[in-house]
Amino acid sequence: CHTSWMLTPNGKEYAQKIPREELTHLILKLLQAWKEPLSHFNQHIEHHQELPDDSLSKAKQISSMVHELKTGVEKVTEKARFSINSLNGMASPEATGLSISNEANMMSDSDFIHCFRRDSNKVQSYLKILKCRIMPENSC
Amino acid sequence: MKQKFTSSVQIILQLALTTVGQSYPGKPKIIRCRSLEKETFSCWWKPGSDGGLPTNYTLFYSKDSEEKIYECPDYRTSGPNSCYFDKNHTNPWTTYNITVMATNEIGSNSSDPHYVDVTSIVQPDAPVNLSLEAKTSASIRYLWAKWSPPPLADISSNSHVYHYELRLKPEEKEEWEIISVGVQAQYKVMRLQAGVKYVIQVRCMLDLGEWSEWSSERWVQIPNGKSPPEKPTITKCRSPEKETFTCWWKPGSAGGHPTNYTLLYSKEGEEQVYECPDYRTAGPNSCYFDKKHTSFWTIYNITVRATNEMGSNVSDPHYVDVTYIVQPDPPVNVTLELKKPINRKPYLVLTWSPPPLADVRSGWLTLEYELRLKPEEGEEWETIFVGQQTQYKMFSLNPGKKYIVQIHCKPDHHGSWSEWSSEKYIQIPTDFRVKDMVVWIVVGVLSSLVCLIMSWTMVFKGYRMIAFILPPVPGPKIKGIDTHLLETGKSEELLSALGCHGFPPTSDCEELLIEYLEVEDSEDQQLMPSHDNSHPSKNAKMIPKETDSDSGRGSCDSPSLLSEKCRESHALPSRLQTQDIRDVQENKGGKRSWETQCIASEQKIFLFNIENTKSSTWPAAQLPNTQPPVFAYHSTTDAHKITLSTTNVNTAPALVGNEEKHQSQYPITETVHDDMEKQREVENLHSKTDQTTVQVKQNRPNDKSPFLNPKLMDYVEVHKIRQDEKPAVLLKHKENSGKTEKYTVPGTSKEYTKVSTVMDHNILVLMPDSRIQHTSVSQEPAMETSQNLQQGQDGKNMSYCLTVPSECKRETSGSEYMDPSSFMPSFK
């Protein structure tokens, strides 16, 4: 996967150990990393005749969801006033955006989907941990 | 000599033929006869030389020592040069003498006879489908051999029992080991050497005969402990809480002991291969990966290697990402609580806890729950998805029933459902129902009590109650009104009968009151109302005195009608309508029906029969004014026939009174009585059979019609009317019996009729005096009791208004008459 180079906690303990800001940053990085490849993928599969229409609309839906999620996390970050290490943080997604995209474009469709599935699961788990750390009373 | 000659000729012929190439056939030889199952058999022969010409073969046989010779029944079934004897031709207990004859154009030749005893030639086919399997049970190696009996063309003969024999030997050896198997078509061969290849055959035999041939060979290799194991397979890997996971494998089918299994894995992106950290925790043939060794979002490549003395074997690789193999434990701590909020229906709350290992608190693992429910006796589960909450409120359970509930959970993302939790029984309390039942029981008891009370009151005081509840509808109570007339709707007559010139009645209502005069007599009696001039059509109207309060009429109240007690009849002055006897106005409720019958030209006397007491009848026309004459119907000179008919009576003039039949002509002052009562009316006047004219003269000044003055309640029974004399009505006055001249002078406004004489006993003869208006027999107090019924013939003493006094209360106040307006609606 094109996001494999990222150092992401691989277990619950690791995820709980790293500070919240870093976790949030990680989430944002992940989401950012998928933005471009998703749109490219959508364009790519639109020309596939054999896919049913549901898949196409679903793919578009997923892209928009990822975008919205990213926006939401950014908002949360602002509200929570996480201090993000700017050096470490925002720069990297943008900088490596191109290379990431290139790499992503070369993946096969099944690999692409497999990687996306995994990363979205990562994001979900991290967000849940974050949620329970920030607001423990909310069904945690 | 001769023989030599013939033989030499034969030789020459043969030589000649041989040179030509043709001769008679050679001698066939019977090779073999065989029976497969003792029910059929076949014989085969070998032909001799055919002599160059086409040769036919025929088989002849005879049985035992019989002379008869049969030919083969079937040459085809068993193939060429064979003869097949089917079931019908086979006798097991006979000896067949068989010969085969070869025939061609030149000659024939027959074989030597062959003696066949079926039972001795039985030989089945060999068994088929021999299968061998090497098995190890409890570390004992054995060979399991199976086969099938030889197939038979005739399937029906399946009842044969074969005996089997098995022989085996190691491949390289020469000696066979023969094992007698018995009748089973399978056998377990023990004592086999490991690692040796054996060859096995079976054969069979019927209970008599010969053994079949040996079946075809089969080889089997006995597994050797030293052979490498078979490939194991990894069955599943699971993580119960998304922090650790376990993998299980299944060993290969046959493996020599002992076999070691090792699990090796590598992670995605790494080259290094690790071995399973823990073989024990999860049981045999498993590997447990603890937290340290579990990484998420990486794919594990897992293989199992089986190793034994002879070698090893590796399973196929199994790829697994722990994220997707989460299967939690079932939820725990399932509890029920019954909540009873105020003013609301009670409900059950089911709560549970997530499985202990799952870390829901940190959000690492989020579980979704689902519960299923069914009544204890039910068959289908109802599944309810609950979501992420750990409680559920149940509102819709039936009280008194027992339910079973179970819960299971699943991670909210990829993963699988846990097992169902243990069954939890819910018993819905039935106390609500008990309360409901109590309420219903109380309600039922109370209502039944009420019903009982009501029924008893109905029974005992039924009539009164009914009367109380459903008061009878008072009808028009105009005395002197012919109900029939009312029905027919001749209002003029009615009105005139009422004495009302115009409508509504004027103030001289008093005059309208008429007393009843019931006149009963034979035909020639007539009552002529004294005054009947101006009011022609006044039917005899009886104005019953109203005694009850029902009348409620206007000023011109007419007395309520007739009760049975009161009879009214009166002759109408003006006109009598001749009517047949009929019931005037019968009211359903048992009103009295008036029957009027009028005869006579001028005056008519209407007799009303009061049928039933109930209801008010309508008023007879009333009448005469001033002094309410009691009635004054009397016929004038003419003989009027007044017939009173009672309802019951047939044409004979009958009177008044329901059941009475009287003939009487009597002026009767009827008193009104309470119509509620069903009392008979009194009066009846009986008439003597002889003619009497009843004449009542009413003293009416201006009476419009001779009507009975309803005021006077009683009636006087007219006893007799003598026609010859001036019409006089004999009234029988009860009270005043014996008095002559008795005319009861009623109250102030009563009418009086002068009594001329008194006859006999209690008979008043009234003067048809104009002054005497009324035969007021009845005065208020006295009158009322004075009804005399003529006891004449029938002696019936009809009920009078004895009770009249009480009921037939007169209203002394005013004259009672009917307010025509009250019965206006009835006018047409």
Side-chain angles (χ1 to χ4, degrees):
Chain A
C1 293
H2 65 287
T3 51
S4 308
W5 56 271
M6 288 186 203
L7 275 175
T8 53
N10 263 350
K12 181 179 89 172
E13 290 77 11
Y14 305 127
Q16 282 176 328
K17 273 186 204 159
I18 66 174
R20 296 183 295 187
E21 295 84 355
E22 199 173 323
L23 194 58
T24 316
H25 183 64
L26 207 56
I27 294 170
L28 285 172
K29 266 208 295 194
L30 272 172
L31 290 170
Q32 176 65 36
W34 277 100
K35 192 170 161 189
E36 176 60 34
L38 269 175
S39 63
H40 181 85
F41 183 75
N42 281 343
Q43 288 172 7
H44 176 63
I45 62 170
E46 257 181 60
H47 300 100
H48 270 217
Q49 297 302 325
E50 62 265 17
L51 284 177
D53 288 337
D54 303 355
S55 312
L56 292 178
S57 59
K58 208 61 168 186
K60 287 194 183 133
Q61 200 180 359
I62 290 174
S63 313
S64 60
M65 275 160 69
V66 166
H67 178 71
E68 283 170 19
L69 190 59
K70 178 161 170 290
T71 316
V73 175
E74 280 166 357
K75 284 220 171 93
V76 167
T77 314
E78 283 174 29
K79 289 249 160 116
R81 295 196 194 156
F82 289 154
S83 59
I84 296 179
N85 194 348
S86 56
L87 283 177
N88 204 8
M90 308 297 261
S92 27
E94 315 301 333
T96 55
L98 279 176
S99 61
I100 289 175
S101 299
N102 281 343
E103 194 179 323
N105 297 343
M106 290 196 292
M107 280 193 291
S108 67
D109 288 342
S110 59
D111 286 343
F112 181 89
I113 291 174
H114 160 79
C115 291
F116 180 70
R117 183 192 190 207
R118 163 191 293 179
D119 282 346
S120 57
N121 196 305
K122 265 190 196 172
V123 166
Q124 182 189 25
S125 303
Y126 296 154
L127 278 173
K128 282 196 186 150
I129 290 181
L130 256 187
K131 177 186 89 166
C132 286
R133 273 160 75 170
I134 295 175
M135 289 186 297
E137 66 278 359
N138 206 0
S139 73
C140 283
Chain B
M1 268 306 270
K2 203 173 186 185
Q3 286 177 354
K4 281 187 186 172
F5 179 70
T6 50
S7 62
S8 63
V9 170
Q10 277 180 348
I11 292 169
I12 291 169
L13 273 174
Q14 247 183 347
L15 282 172
L17 281 171
T18 354
T19 53
V20 177
Q22 291 175 349
S23 72
Y24 56 85
K27 188 170 171 179
K29 184 170 183 306
I30 295 178
I31 315 169
R32 169 166 92 104
C33 289
R34 201 183 79 159
S35 166
L36 280 180
E37 74 298 83
K38 206 172 60 177
E39 287 167 10
T40 64
F41 74 99
S42 306
C43 284
W44 291 266
W45 63 85
K46 186 179 123 183
S49 63
D50 64 351
L53 290 169
T55 314
N56 270 348
Y57 293 92
T58 49
L59 185 144
F60 296 101
Y61 70 95
S62 66
K63 295 192 206 176
D64 285 335
S65 310
E66 293 172 4
E67 291 295 329
K68 191 165 177 202
I69 294 185
Y70 307 88
E71 192 185 334
C72 169
D74 185 345
Y75 287 104
R76 294 176 170 276
T77 306
S78 297
N81 297 327
S82 73
C83 176
Y84 173 73
F85 294 82
D86 59 4
K87 268 204 271 194
N88 301 334
H89 292 89
T90 308
N91 293 344
W93 311 111
T94 57
T95 308
Y96 287 74
N97 179 354
I98 301 176
T99 52
V100 177
M101 181 177 299
T103 315
N104 67 1
E105 288 178 0
I106 298 174
S108 65
N109 206 342
S110 70
S111 69
D112 294 330
H114 187 84
Y115 294 93
V116 170
D117 187 356
V118 179
T119 54
S120 63
I121 57 164
V122 175
Q123 185 193 27
D125 279 333
V128 294
N129 292 344
L130 177 61
S131 71
L132 301 169
E133 209 173 320
K135 287 199 166 187
T136 310
S137 144
S139 69
I140 296 175
R141 280 182 236 99
Y142 61 90
L143 179 70
W144 194 25
K146 280 201 295 188
W147 58 88
S148 310
L152 290 171
D154 191 4
I155 303 177
S156 65
S157 57
N158 230 357
S159 56
H160 299 286
V161 175
Y162 292 95
H163 292 263
Y164 298 100
E165 237 179 30
L166 183 145
R167 75 174 182 186
L168 57 88
K169 70 175 172 78
E171 197 176 22
E172 302 82 19
K173 299 275 180 69
E174 295 295 330
E175 276 201 24
W176 290 96
E177 181 189 350
I178 297 183
I179 303 170
S180 178
V181 174
V183 298
Q184 296 289 329
Q186 58 184 2
Y187 188 70
K188 278 183 190 165
V189 186
M190 308 285 198
R191 294 173 282 110
L192 292 170
Q193 294 174 12
V196 176
K197 194 168 184 183
Y198 284 87
V199 59
I200 296 179
Q201 285 180 307
V202 290
R203 68 174 180 180
C204 62
M205 180 181 81
L206 284 170
D207 45 358
L208 48 81
E210 296 177 19
W211 280 105
S212 70
E213 294 296 327
W214 287 105
S215 67
S216 52
E217 292 178 340
R218 287 278 189 268
W219 286 269
V220 64
Q221 172 76 43
I222 306 301
N224 200 353
K226 307 252 190 268
S227 70
E230 294 210 5
K231 202 155 72 168
T233 48
I234 296 175
T235 50
K236 72 170 181 176
C237 297
R238 282 286 180 267
S239 168
E241 78 289 73
K242 206 177 168 185
E243 292 169 34
T244 66
F245 74 104
T246 314
C247 282
W248 290 268
W249 67 84
K250 190 179 103 166
S253 53
H257 304 288
T259 314
N260 266 346
Y261 294 95
T262 51
L263 186 141
L264 304 165
Y265 70 94
S266 67
K267 290 191 193 176
E268 174 188 0
E270 294 176 20
E271 294 295 335
Q272 185 167 0
V273 177
Y274 306 90
E275 193 184 335
C276 170
D278 186 343
Y279 287 104
R280 294 174 166 276
T281 310
N285 295 330
S286 71
C287 178
Y288 173 75
F289 294 80
D290 57 2
K291 282 188 194 177
K292 284 190 298 183
H293 295 91
T294 310
S295 306
F296 293 88
W297 305 299
T298 49
I299 296 182
Y300 283 70
N301 178 350
I302 302 176
T303 55
V304 176
R305 164 165 290 194
T307 315
N308 70 356
E309 299 143 344
M310 296 295 293
S312 66
N313 214 339
V314 181
S315 70
D316 293 328
H318 189 245
Y319 298 96
V320 60
D321 187 339
V322 186
T323 330
Y324 307 133
I325 57 165
V326 180
Q327 184 187 24
D329 292 329
V332 294
N333 287 347
V334 183
T335 54
L336 284 169
E337 196 183 332
L338 179 67
K339 293 220 166 158
K340 299 182 189 179
I342 306 172
N343 295 336
R344 283 199 353 218
K345 206 175 153 191
Y347 59 93
L348 275 177
V349 179
L350 188 69
T351 55
W352 58 88
S353 321
L357 293 174
D359 186 3
V360 191
R361 299 209 49 214
S362 67
W364 179 243
L365 179 64
T366 312
L367 294 172
E368 292 177 336
Y369 302 95
E370 195 178 66
L371 64 86
R372 68 177 186 182
L373 189 64
K374 78 166 177 172
E376 193 177 19
E377 314 82 16
E379 294 204 359
E380 286 204 7
W381 290 95
E382 184 190 346
T383 314
I384 304 166
F385 182 76
V386 178
Q388 293 181 7
Q389 49 183 334
T390 57
Q391 62 161 20
Y392 185 69
K393 293 182 190 167
M394 292 193 278
F395 294 98
S396 60
L397 296 174
N398 291 333
K401 275 197 161 185
K402 206 168 182 186
Y403 285 88
I404 308 178
V405 67
Q406 283 183 314
I407 312 173
H408 69 169
C409 55
K410 165 177 108 76
D412 63 339
H413 57 86
H414 329 89
S416 39
W417 285 102
S418 71
E419 296 292 328
W420 287 103
S421 66
S422 57
E423 293 185 342
K424 185 85 179 167
Y425 290 91
I426 302 177
Q427 176 77 38
I428 313 295
T430 58
D431 50 4
F432 325 131
R433 180 175 264 204
V434 168
K435 281 185 198 159
D436 283 346
M437 287 297 292
V438 167
V439 168
W440 282 114
I441 288 171
V442 167
V443 167
V445 166
L446 280 179
S447 55
S448 59
L449 274 178
V450 168
C451 284
L452 264 179
I453 291 171
M454 289 201 37
S455 59
W456 276 114
T457 50
M458 291 290 287
V459 166
F460 286 126
K461 308 219 171 156
Y463 302 135
R464 287 201 193 166
M465 291 292 296
I466 292 168
F468 184 69
I469 295 170
L470 302 169
V473 177
K477 295 176 187 172
I478 303 177
K479 282 190 189 171
I481 286 188
D482 180 8
T483 55
H484 179 68
L485 188 61
L486 272 182
E487 277 177 343
T488 55
K490 295 179 183 164
S491 54
E492 303 168 349
E493 292 167 345
L494 277 172
L495 287 180
S496 58
L498 285 175
C500 301
H501 291 286
F503 223 77
T506 54
S507 58
D508 49 353
C509 293
E510 283 192 9
E511 298 172 343
L512 299 180
L513 294 177
I514 300 179
E515 291 206 66
Y516 295 99
L517 173 64
E518 190 168 290
V519 176
E520 216 179 40
D521 198 351
S522 56
E523 282 69 16
D524 42 349
Q525 287 214 358
Q526 295 160 4
L527 286 179
M528 305 204 42
S530 54
H531 314 271
D532 92 321
N533 37 13
S534 49
H535 305 280
S537 62
K538 295 218 177 145
N539 304 332
K541 294 171 192 171
M542 314 274 290
I543 298 180
K545 280 291 178 79
E546 180 147 345
T547 52
D548 63 340
S549 51
D550 278 6
S551 62
R553 305 278 160 69
S555 55
C556 309
D557 282 3
S558 65
S560 64
L561 275 201
L562 335 197
S563 51
E564 274 120 335
K565 296 193 280 196
C566 309
R567 269 220 209 153
E568 314 162 2
S569 66
H570 43 266
L572 289 184
S574 52
R575 275 190 316 176
L576 289 179
Q577 278 185 350
T578 322
Q579 292 173 352
D580 298 332
I581 299 174
R582 52 179 135 208
D583 297 345
V584 183
Q585 192 158 55
E586 287 175 340
N587 303 319
K588 304 122 197 198
K591 295 186 179 171
R592 312 197 212 142
S593 59
W594 292 92
E595 265 184 51
T596 61
Q597 192 176 38
C598 303
I599 309 171
S601 49
E602 305 166 14
Q603 279 122 10
K604 303 173 181 178
I605 297 177
F606 289 84
L607 305 176
F608 291 91
N609 284 333
I610 302 169
E611 284 299 312
N612 300 315
T613 49
K614 275 209 191 163
S615 74
S616 48
T617 54
W618 37 275
Q622 38 3 344
L623 323 157
N625 19 7
T626 61
Q627 302 290 310
V630 177
F631 47 75
Y633 298 100
H634 46 275
S635 57
T636 50
T637 53
D638 313 348
H640 286 269
K641 202 180 260 185
I642 301 169
T643 55
L644 299 173
S645 52
T646 58
T647 53
N648 302 337
V649 180
N650 43 7
T651 56
L655 237 199
V656 181
N658 302 347
E659 288 90 0
E660 317 173 277
K661 308 178 181 182
H662 309 275
Q663 291 188 350
S664 58
Q665 305 167 334
Y666 297 100
I668 299 172
T669 47
E670 295 254 329
T671 58
V672 181
H673 57 230
D674 185 6
D675 57 342
M676 297 296 286
E677 318 284 338
K678 265 189 193 175
Q679 299 156 17
R680 292 268 294 276
E681 291 194 38
V682 174
E683 74 153 349
N684 15 26
L685 301 176
H686 318 276
S687 56
K688 307 269 175 147
T689 51
D690 49 335
Q691 309 167 349
T692 53
T693 50
V694 175
Q695 202 168 31
V696 173
K697 267 197 179 165
Q698 281 186 351
N699 215 359
R700 276 189 264 177
N702 55 344
D703 85 307
K704 300 150 185 200
S705 56
F707 291 111
L708 291 178
N709 190 344
K711 235 188 188 174
L712 304 176
M713 299 296 283
D714 295 342
Y715 7 122
V716 177
E717 190 177 86
V718 175
H719 185 63
K720 195 182 199 169
I721 297 180
R722 289 168 297 172
Q723 187 161 16
D724 44 6
E725 301 174 325
K726 48 185 173 172
V729 174
L730 289 178
L731 295 176
K732 222 176 191 183
H733 190 18
K734 203 166 64 166
E735 291 170 358
N736 301 331
S737 63
K739 293 189 195 163
T740 62
E741 312 257 333
K742 179 191 275 217
Y743 48 91
T744 54
V745 179
T748 51
S749 57
K750 311 247 160 78
E751 288 118 16
Y752 300 82
T753 307
K754 192 170 182 183
V755 177
S756 61
T757 61
V758 173
M759 313 259 308
D760 294 352
H761 36 275
N762 302 348
I763 299 175
L764 288 175
V765 177
L766 295 177
M767 294 288 289
D769 191 351
S770 61
R771 282 180 301 151
I772 301 175
Q773 294 288 339
H774 54 276
T775 57
S776 64
V777 185
S778 51
Q779 312 246 328
E780 294 253 350
M783 307 280 265
E784 292 165 7
T785 55
S786 68
Q787 290 205 11
N788 299 329
L789 291 177
Q790 167 149 15
Q791 311 214 323
Q793 315 132 344
D794 46 8
K796 285 183 203 171
N797 211 351
M798 301 312 296
S799 58
Y800 325 52
C801 270
L802 278 183
T803 54
V804 165
S806 53
E807 290 127 14
C808 304
K809 270 202 299 196
R810 284 209 200 136
E811 298 167 24
T812 55
S813 54
S815 50
E816 296 146 19
Y817 48 47
M818 185 177 79
D819 184 359
S821 60
S822 61
F823 61 85
M824 233 167 89
S826 61
F827 291 158
K828 310 209 179 59

